[in-house]
Amino acid sequence: MRILGIGGSNDLAAMYGGMQARGHQVRVFVRDPASHGVFAGMLTRTHDWQRELGWIREAGPEGLILFETADQGAQQDALRRDGFQVIGGSALGDRLEAEREYGQAVLREAGLCTAASHSFTSYREASDFIASRRQRYVLKFNGANSPRTRNYIAQKGDSSDLAALLHFYSAHEAPLPSPDFVLMEYIDGIEIGVGGYFNGMDFLETACIDFEHKRFFPGELGELTGEMGTVVRYAGSGRLRDQVLKPLAGVLRDGGYCGYVNVNLMANADGLWPLEFTSRFGYPGYAICERLHREPWETIFQKMLHRSATHFETVPDFAVGIVLTVPPFPYTQGYEEISKGIPVILDEGLSMAERAAIAFAEVELRQGALITSGTSGYVGVATGCAPTVEAARASALALARKVYVPNLRYREDIGVRVSHEALGNLHRWGYL
């Protein structure tokens, strides 16, 4: 096959690398100049993806364009109209992820319960709102590329700590354009995601559940990062797929969507409360999911594009991914001076299977040596796969300890609460 990957910072680099290793021709466009080093020396780069369209068209049904971000949906729609095979999302998908109130409205129209959500473009108005309705809220900024570290979950029941944070933002961002964010009513429960593969008409039967660990420190302390690790499983996802994803098939079909979509939600004894969409392949989620696949990504994509099958083969195990980072992750300030360009060394005794279980991210190959690259210090993810969460976690941890990078950091508790608490409650409530 010929595969053209299009993205901002080469987030799917490990996926491209796998397809290239399996003999496919892969070219990658990286929009952000600061990320041009990601997988340099490992993937073929193009500086103008539109110039590659003829190369893709020549391949006919063996040509594939893969978009990795949720901000180029209109271009994907246009390419599909022009006869290209595109996996990624659509203009509708961009709105579902970037405009939180719109996403919530779509969920409600599909018959799902949602938490009360209120939109703001003024920190002062939001502070006044909290003062008049003293309860617990979650601050979430709109925009697919908004920094996750700015989001905040109120810790106090009256959200006075959140109000103080809004006052801080107001005082320090006065010259900047108006902010765009929502305050969502806090829902107590278990956070879980359900993701599916939409082929343009319907979801494949194969869907996955995931438990993201977004806090930087163990024990769910510290700032909200994009993700510090995740537990994934395909087996047992049928009920959540039917209750959450299936009702969305109509709107996705009408919106020309073709790709992976995930709905993050809170589950409790009272019901399921969808919180937000991810209208793209999440990272490192895609790399953790891959540990459970019996079929390669390109085969799954072909099944979606040609609608030749309604499922793909997976193993019934759990997969655990542990994100490996160096300072200043999850921030970017100072990365050039602190950590960019430092060596990434693998244990000499690493087996081929163990090497394949590491999905690197912000790295490049320079003079035959692997070094850190990119913009933030997100080195990659070590994965483990086993019949139980604890065994998969132990496998991932053992692998992480075989990666040697100066000042490497990662969480050792990924999956602990899932195995000790979450799975039992979800089974008891009838969601798994």
Side-chain angles (χ1 to χ4, degrees):
M1 290 184 66
R2 289 183 179 178
I3 296 125
L4 175 61
I6 301 173
S9 51
N10 212 2
D11 296 333
L12 303 184
M15 181 189 288
Y16 304 138
M19 292 189 286
Q20 179 177 269
R22 290 187 289 274
H24 302 288
Q25 300 177 61
V26 180
R27 297 179 185 177
V28 178
F29 172 78
V30 183
R31 184 175 59 218
D32 180 9
S35 297
H36 283 180
V38 174
F39 267 58
M42 303 162 75
L43 291 173
T44 300
R45 284 264 317 285
T46 178
H47 296 286
D48 184 351
W49 66 264
Q50 293 181 330
R51 288 189 175 182
E52 308 297 338
L53 294 180
W55 177 71
I56 290 293
R57 196 183 290 278
E58 288 173 357
E62 294 296 305
L64 167 66
I65 304 175
L66 177 59
F67 280 82
E68 64 183 39
T69 60
D71 58 4
Q72 292 181 283
Q75 290 172 305
Q76 295 180 59
D77 293 340
L79 288 168
R80 291 189 182 103
R81 288 193 296 269
D82 203 21
F84 289 97
Q85 298 187 124
V86 181
I87 293 285
S90 67
L92 168 74
D94 291 358
R95 286 196 70 190
L96 291 175
E97 178 166 345
E99 300 176 30
R100 296 183 183 275
E101 273 290 86
Y102 175 72
Q104 292 288 291
V106 168
L107 290 164
R108 285 192 296 272
E109 291 172 6
L112 298 166
C113 297
T114 61
S117 182
H118 310 273
S119 297
F120 295 93
T121 56
S122 164
Y123 294 123
R124 183 181 296 277
E125 290 179 5
S127 296
D128 292 342
F129 175 84
I130 290 173
S132 65
R133 306 188 189 187
R134 294 189 174 276
Q135 64 182 78
R136 197 173 177 188
Y137 292 100
V138 179
L139 167 66
K140 293 184 177 184
F141 284 86
N142 286 314
N145 299 313
S146 61
R148 298 291 182 89
T149 51
R150 287 169 53 80
N151 295 341
Y152 183 73
I153 301 173
Q155 301 302 298
K156 299 189 67 176
D158 62 356
S159 289
S160 57
D161 55 326
L162 173 54
L165 177 63
L166 293 172
H167 178 74
F168 170 83
Y169 283 162
S170 178
H172 287 75
E173 298 180 7
L176 300 181
S178 297
D180 184 8
F181 62 95
V182 300
L183 294 180
M184 183 177 289
E185 178 184 350
Y186 176 82
I187 301 291
D188 193 22
I190 295 170
E191 187 172 0
I192 182 174
V194 55
Y197 301 81
F198 194 79
N199 66 8
M201 292 297 294
D202 207 348
F203 282 99
L204 302 189
E205 295 171 7
T206 311
C208 68
I209 54 173
D210 63 76
F211 301 87
E212 295 183 352
H213 297 58
K214 298 177 181 178
R215 297 285 187 179
F216 187 61
F217 293 106
E220 303 309 313
L221 298 173
E223 56 267 70
L224 290 166
T225 68
E227 195 172 336
M228 292 304 297
T230 299
V231 178
V232 174
R233 196 186 195 198
Y234 282 94
S237 64
R239 291 183 182 178
L240 284 176
R241 178 201 63 206
D242 292 345
Q243 292 181 60
V244 179
L245 296 181
K246 285 290 188 179
L248 300 170
V251 69
L252 293 175
R253 186 184 309 122
D254 293 342
Y257 197 94
C258 185
Y260 179 82
V261 62
N262 182 282
V263 177
N264 190 47
L265 54 92
M266 297 299 294
N268 56 33
D270 296 325
L272 299 170
W273 307 85
L275 303 177
E276 60 188 5
F277 284 92
T278 299
S279 305
R280 54 187 165 80
F281 287 97
Y283 64 95
Y286 77 89
I288 307 170
C289 285
E290 187 174 11
R291 286 301 311 277
L292 300 172
H293 293 180
R294 295 189 187 275
E295 303 177 44
W297 283 112
E298 58 271 22
T299 300
I300 297 170
F301 294 158
Q302 290 283 45
K303 287 183 176 182
M304 294 170 65
L305 291 166
H306 303 304
R307 299 169 192 157
S308 57
T310 59
H311 72 283
F312 58 90
E313 295 297 324
T314 63
V315 297
D317 292 350
F318 291 92
V320 170
I322 298 174
V323 173
L324 312 175
T325 74
V326 292
F329 183 89
Y331 304 100
T332 59
Q333 297 89 340
Y335 178 54
E336 292 269 353
E337 297 77 20
I338 299 172
S339 299
K340 190 170 183 177
I342 60 177
V344 178
I345 308 297
L346 301 180
D347 191 280
E348 295 85 351
L350 212 63
S351 68
M352 291 297 292
E354 288 176 314
R355 175 62 183 81
I358 303 171
F360 283 109
E362 289 188 334
V363 300
E364 64 179 277
L365 195 63
R366 186 180 298 176
Q367 297 178 342
L370 204 60
I371 62 173
T372 57
S373 185
T375 62
S376 70
Y378 173 63
V379 178
V381 57
T383 65
C385 182
T388 67
V389 175
E390 281 299 316
R393 171 176 163 267
S395 177
L397 273 175
L399 184 57
R401 290 169 182 149
K402 295 181 180 181
V403 180
Y404 308 108
V405 187
N407 301 317
L408 187 68
R409 299 95 51 83
Y410 51 86
R411 283 180 55 170
E412 295 186 331
D413 67 335
I414 303 300
V416 171
R417 293 180 65 182
V418 175
S419 61
H420 291 177
E421 177 185 348
L423 290 176
N425 283 334
L426 290 167
H427 276 289
R428 187 168 61 254
W429 296 331
Y431 300 133
L432 298 181

